[in-house]
Amino acid sequence: MTPTQRRRHSAWSEIPAATWADWRWQLRNRVTTLEALEPLVELTPEEREGIRARRGSFPFAITPYYLSLMEGPDCPVRRQAIPHIDEMQRVPWDMVDPLAEEEHSPVSVLSHRYPDRALLYVTHTCPVYCRHCTRQRKVGDASSAPARSELDAAFDYLARTPSVRDLLISGGDPLSLPDARLDALLARARAIEHIEVLRLCTRNPVTLPQRIDQAFVETLRAHHPVYVSTHFNHPAECTPEAGEALERLADHGFNVGNQMVLLRGINDDPATVEALNRWLVRHRCRPYYMFQCDPVEGTAHLRTPVSAGLRILDALRGQLSGLAIPQFAVDLPGGGGKITLTPDRLVRRAGRALTFRDHQDREFTYVDGAQSENSCAEEGVPRSAHSKPA
Ligand SMILES: *Cc1c(COP(=O)(O)O)cnc(C)c1O
Ligand code: SF4
């Protein structure tokens, strides 16, 4: 599985290179209707039905760049971006707001679940609408864009909540806002003394890498430390353009992490995750989380069992640099927050002798350290399949 080369759908072959590289042109020329999509992609009946059924709810939109990466019906790019009739399936435990984000909102556009971190929603639009989006209840609905007064209320709350040190700026995709708006938002967050770290959560490096241009990085670097959380899911998204976007961010001091989401038949195998993560690390982006897909209504057909994520982690350890291995996280439905899971490697325990299996299933014994007076360790078996609050 090799990363993808520069590509352009034949419909746009006559467009000058500078125009193609202009993110404003890419946004203006997004494909958002069945009529526009039909001549570009040979749709399956299930996709056509999916688009018709979804009309009026969670819309679809695809940049010419992202569309150019598509291949046959099983293509991982296509399955993330083109609606499918399976989105209409309903299973009893699915939810509209699985993470109870609305309940954890002290003010409408802020989610504050953990003491030291808060998540601010600054827009509900994105270049491409991912079919597995957790926030599809809101995302894509331009009429629900945060009002100025809501942002004011959020910044007031942040200013009087000194426990918050890390502010995630999310959406939608915050990079849907112009540089000047982002600059003003980050400056406003920076003016709050107890906020130490800013994080921009964006899928633009994947769906519209042209957006990460020189003006963007030069404007926003003024607010460092700014971390960027992005969302690559498959090596088919690993193009030279995407690589350049990641490099430009790193060159300008942004620390970039990737949050992939496990998706059935798209990336739920070790070889795909390995190829993706090797490419990311080479482009100075650290795999941060591998997420279990949230139980959002309309995504049942994309979800994998939790065991698939554990099996992938088990296969990667020993195969792949620790730099390229993310944490496997499940965001607990109902607002429990994130937990991380690891494969169980403890085979048995005899007194202080702990026997573990390695990545090749060979067994090795480690003799545990003795308890000390002020040890913080608890007596008993280390919980190798431990969960800790994220
Ligand atoms: C995921 C999340 C965060 C960030 O969590 P990290 O584990 O620090 O990346 C913060 N707030 C909310 C509400 C979240 O869902
Ligand atoms: S970019 Fe993020 S917020 Fe936008 S549709 Fe995709 S997953 Fe949802």
Side-chain angles (χ1 to χ4, degrees):
M1 207 160 327
T2 44
T4 307
Q5 289 313 301
R6 253 171 239 279
R7 287 160 61 154
R8 226 199 260 196
H9 190 288
S10 57
W12 295 294
S13 57
E14 305 297 316
I15 302 294
T19 307
W20 182 257
D22 176 359
W23 59 267
R24 293 175 184 85
W25 180 88
Q26 290 279 341
L27 279 182
R28 273 200 308 276
N29 287 277
R30 289 191 308 169
V31 176
T32 58
T33 63
L34 179 57
E35 295 65 37
L37 185 60
E38 287 272 21
L40 300 170
V41 177
E42 201 178 315
L43 294 175
T44 65
E46 292 78 16
E47 288 170 330
R48 202 170 290 116
E49 281 312 302
I51 293 171
R52 291 207 178 100
R54 272 300 208 175
R55 232 169 228 161
S57 56
F58 185 43
F60 83 95
I62 311 172
T63 55
Y65 162 81
Y66 201 59
L67 193 143
S68 296
L69 305 181
M70 289 182 184
E71 292 181 341
D74 295 331
C75 164
V77 172
R78 186 159 159 172
R79 293 197 54 211
Q80 290 183 71
I82 299 184
H84 191 282
I85 191 62
D86 286 353
E87 290 180 22
M88 304 315 286
Q89 282 177 21
R90 291 294 173 260
V91 293
W93 47 86
D94 279 2
M95 292 175 254
V96 172
D97 177 16
L99 310 183
E101 287 172 332
E102 310 282 344
E103 278 168 46
H104 286 82
S105 293
V107 293
S108 56
V109 295
L110 195 77
S111 210
H112 188 197
R113 193 193 309 283
Y114 311 105
D116 71 331
R117 285 152 282 174
L119 209 155
L120 180 67
Y121 307 97
V122 297
T123 168
H124 289 136
T125 58
C126 310
V128 169
Y129 293 114
C130 315
R131 305 325 296 170
H132 56 277
C133 181
T134 296
R135 298 205 186 103
Q136 49 186 271
R137 67 182 183 278
K138 281 194 167 160
V139 160
D141 175 10
S143 69
S144 71
R148 186 165 194 103
S149 59
E150 290 178 293
L151 283 174
D152 288 346
F155 279 107
D156 284 348
Y157 175 88
L158 290 169
R160 64 187 143 82
T161 311
S163 67
V164 177
R165 292 161 179 270
D166 176 354
L167 180 65
L168 287 79
I169 299 179
S170 185
D173 197 313
L175 272 58
S176 300
L177 301 178
D179 288 352
R181 282 281 311 280
L182 287 172
D183 188 28
L185 276 168
L186 267 59
R188 203 165 171 190
R190 267 280 158 259
I192 301 174
E193 210 161 325
H194 53 264
I195 296 183
E196 297 166 355
V197 168
L198 301 174
R199 276 198 251 182
L200 276 173
C201 307
T202 173
R203 211 177 180 202
N204 269 256
V206 185
T207 56
L208 182 63
Q210 298 80 3
R211 177 72 182 84
I212 314 296
D213 59 9
Q214 207 54 30
F216 173 84
V217 291
E218 278 170 18
T219 307
L220 296 183
R221 69 183 299 178
H223 308 291
H224 277 329
V226 179
Y227 284 63
V228 172
S229 277
T230 191
H231 177 178
F232 285 85
N233 280 335
H234 194 278
E237 298 167 333
C238 300
T239 64
E241 293 92 327
E244 285 155 18
L246 293 178
E247 301 265 339
R248 184 167 291 131
L249 287 167
D251 284 348
H252 291 81
F254 296 85
N255 193 307
V256 191
N258 189 59
Q259 308 197 144
M260 71 166 274
V261 177
L262 279 169
L263 298 169
R264 184 155 87 197
I266 295 180
N267 58 10
D268 56 343
D269 64 281
T272 301
V273 178
E274 177 178 341
L276 171 68
N277 289 356
R278 282 195 194 281
W279 181 88
L280 289 169
V281 169
R282 217 169 57 230
H283 293 84
R284 286 179 279 164
C285 173
R286 176 83 156 84
Y288 177 51
Y289 282 138
M290 176 171 78
F291 275 115
Q292 177 69 13
C293 186
D294 293 325
V296 190
E297 242 179 46
T299 64
H301 61 297
L302 293 171
R303 294 204 295 273
T304 52
V306 168
S307 59
L310 287 170
R311 193 173 43 78
I312 290 170
L313 271 193
D314 207 29
L316 293 185
R317 181 55 70 183
Q319 279 290 114
L320 191 58
S321 156
L323 282 178
I325 300 184
Q327 296 191 72
F328 176 36
V330 183
D331 219 328
L332 297 177
K338 293 177 189 68
I339 54 157
T340 54
L341 302 175
T342 53
D344 196 352
R345 292 193 175 277
L346 182 73
V347 178
R348 81 188 83 81
R349 176 195 171 97
R352 273 164 55 187
L354 306 173
T355 301
F356 298 99
R357 67 182 172 85
D358 76 350
H359 63 282
Q360 296 173 312
D361 271 337
R362 298 176 304 181
E363 293 187 3
F364 294 88
T365 298
Y366 176 85
V367 179
D368 212 359
Q371 289 279 0
S372 77
E373 291 285 293
N374 53 8
S375 168
C376 62
E378 276 170 43
E379 198 66 56
V381 178
R383 292 184 302 150
S384 53
H386 66 279
S387 349
K388 64 174 199 301

